[in-house]
Structure formats: C-alpha cells, structure tokens
Amino acid sequence: LSPTQIREWTTSQVAKHRQLIASLLSLHNSIAPIHVLPNEILSMIITLVWECRTSLRIAHVCRLWREVALNTPQLWSDALSKEKFDFDNGPFAKKHEEYVSALIKRSAPRPLRLNFSSFYGSHLADVLKLQLHRIVALNVNVFGEMELQALCNALEAYMPALEDLKITFDDRRRIWDFAYDESDFFYDDEYKIWFQDLDVDCLFDRISPTKSFPRLRTLSVPGVLFPFFACASLEDIQVQPVGSNHKGP
C-alpha cells in the first residue's frame, strides 16, 4: 500500500470507531437513573434552573437533555424575562439581536416579558412583529430619537396581552471603543440632551392605547409621553421626570 492509501484506510477506521464509541456512550447514558423520568417531568425540572446565560449548559449534558430543553418553552421565556438586553448599535449588537430572536422563537407560545436597555435592531423588530400578541410586559430604555422612532413603530401595532409598559429616557450617549469588548464604552459629557427639542406629537400621534393595548394596567413613562398612553384600563401609573435615569458617567 502507498502512504496515501494507508492514510485513507486509517482515517476511515478512525471514523468507524468514533461512531461506535458514540453509540456505546449513548447506550451507557440511556440507562442512567435520570433517564427513567418521563420527559414531561424532566422538562418541569429544567424550567427551574435558569439563572443566567451559563444555564444554557444544561442543554449540553446529553442528547436527551438537549432535546427536552429545546422543547421547553418556559426555559426560554425565563431566559428573556430575567435579563436586560442591549441593542444600542455597538460592536456586539448583532450578536445580542440574534440571541434574543432565538429565545423569542424558542419560548413560543409562552407570554413574553421583555427588558431592553436600548431599542436598536431592524431584525429584532421584524421578529417582534410576529410575536406582538404574546408580549405582556415591555421595559425599554431609550437613548435617542432613532430608538424612540423604532419603539413608536412597534407600539403602533395591536398588542392585546400587554399589561405592563415602562419607557425611560436616558440623557447619556454611549461612545463605544471597538477595540475591546462589550463593556468598553464611555459617556459623552458634552452630548446635547437628545429629548430637549423632541416633537412627541409627530412621533406618537398614531398610537391609540385603548385600541392597541386594551389590557394595559401598569404604566411608567416620562411626563411628555403620558398623554399618549392614558387610558381607562390603567390601575398603576408612574410619571417620570425627564432624564431620571441619568446617574453620571
């Protein structure tokens, strides 16, 4: 045999043995005591584990756990509700956007409780359009007029399950240092407060809270926005002073 033929034969034998090893390990794992549990019980256990993104490791334990985890909507719903997501057009925005889009799809048909520390992301907006009927709580921090416009476009739609809405204006602008990681940004102290000359009538005049949010109960918004969201269904109202989120650089 030539060296080439020997390499080809050994490579094929390695592949066969790897497949055999994987099959044996799968058989070994299948008789573990935890696998005696019905998938429904395992799914209930999995819903109790979410703390942060490291909890995703539960889907890496074995093939069965991964399959059950991927088909447990409550797990992904908890992942959405327990984290505040950032889409402020920084260097890691696309990564966050794809992650949240996947969580939203995996969590169906569970209710959505969403927390955004900014509201950029065209792809995310497209995903949300298909899931508006599931949103029961929405908490958004807004850094600029473009973000506010994107939020307005989303709020113009019919959101029949929305009960809790919070919008906060932030009077800081973050400047990203693209050379490092997602924690490397600073605040521009000389940035003009973006909402000083804001024409809210132009942005919000198409929103009808009675029609769009028939179940809205809890509202927290800057005072300039309150008239656009006032409706008879409200039970708990907080009117924020504009720029209340500013805590210095």
Side-chain angles (χ1 to χ4, degrees):
L1 295 176
S2 68
T4 300
Q5 290 174 320
I6 293 174
R7 282 194 296 269
E8 290 176 351
W9 181 83
T10 55
T11 300
S12 66
Q13 292 302 305
V14 168
K16 290 179 181 179
H17 283 81
R18 282 178 175 169
Q19 185 176 4
L20 177 59
I21 291 171
S23 298
L24 290 172
L25 288 173
S26 178
L27 178 60
H28 176 271
N29 292 337
S30 68
I31 59 173
I34 188 69
H35 289 161
V36 176
L37 292 175
N39 287 356
E40 294 78 8
I41 302 299
L42 182 57
S43 178
M44 292 174 62
I45 295 172
I46 286 176
T47 61
L48 303 176
V49 305
W50 192 271
E51 294 182 358
C52 61
R53 294 194 192 188
T54 57
S55 300
L56 286 170
R57 295 172 182 170
I58 197 169
H60 300 162
V61 172
C62 65
R63 187 180 305 172
L64 174 63
W65 284 38
R66 176 177 177 80
E67 180 181 351
V68 172
L70 291 177
N71 290 282
T72 302
Q74 186 62 51
L75 176 69
W76 311 111
S77 177
D78 289 345
L80 283 166
S81 65
K82 294 180 180 179
E83 185 173 349
K84 197 163 189 175
F85 299 97
D86 200 331
F87 305 99
D88 66 352
N89 220 21
F92 295 89
K94 182 174 177 58
K95 178 179 69 174
H96 295 318
E97 190 176 319
E98 292 173 349
Y99 173 68
V100 174
S101 296
L103 292 182
I104 290 173
K105 293 175 181 177
R106 289 284 181 193
S107 65
R110 301 296 301 169
L112 294 174
R113 292 173 173 81
L114 304 174
N115 300 283
F116 298 137
S117 58
S118 59
F119 203 74
Y120 278 108
S122 57
H123 175 64
L124 178 65
D126 293 337
V127 172
L128 285 177
K129 285 179 183 178
L130 302 176
Q131 308 294 337
L132 294 175
H133 62 286
R134 296 171 50 206
I135 301 177
V136 297
L138 182 60
N139 180 0
V140 182
N141 204 45
V142 181
F143 275 86
E145 190 167 349
M146 289 183 62
E147 289 185 66
L148 189 60
Q149 181 64 67
L151 179 60
C152 287
N153 293 338
L155 293 176
E156 288 174 11
Y158 180 52
M159 302 171 71
L162 185 66
E163 298 180 354
D164 187 341
L165 176 62
K166 181 177 181 179
I167 303 172
T168 304
F169 287 174
D170 199 310
D171 57 358
R172 302 168 291 179
R173 181 178 68 169
R174 286 190 282 190
I175 308 299
W176 286 94
D177 186 341
F178 283 76
Y180 297 98
D181 61 29
E182 53 191 302
S183 64
D184 288 298
F185 60 83
F186 59 90
Y187 292 105
D188 182 1
D189 293 333
E190 298 181 0
Y191 177 55
K192 179 182 177 182
I193 305 303
W194 63 270
F195 45 74
Q196 284 181 340
D197 302 317
L198 186 65
D199 186 355
V200 291
D201 291 327
C202 180
L203 289 173
F204 285 88
D205 61 353
R206 289 177 294 180
I207 292 179
S208 174
T210 303
K211 295 180 180 179
S212 298
F213 326 120
R215 298 183 62 180
L216 188 63
R217 301 288 184 268
T218 303
L219 178 68
S220 177
V221 293
V224 293
L225 298 187
F226 176 73
F228 300 96
F229 294 95
C231 56
S233 63
L234 289 174
E235 298 174 356
D236 186 356
I237 301 170
Q238 180 181 2
V239 179
Q240 311 159 11
V242 175
S244 61
N245 198 46
H246 179 58
K247 300 178 182 177

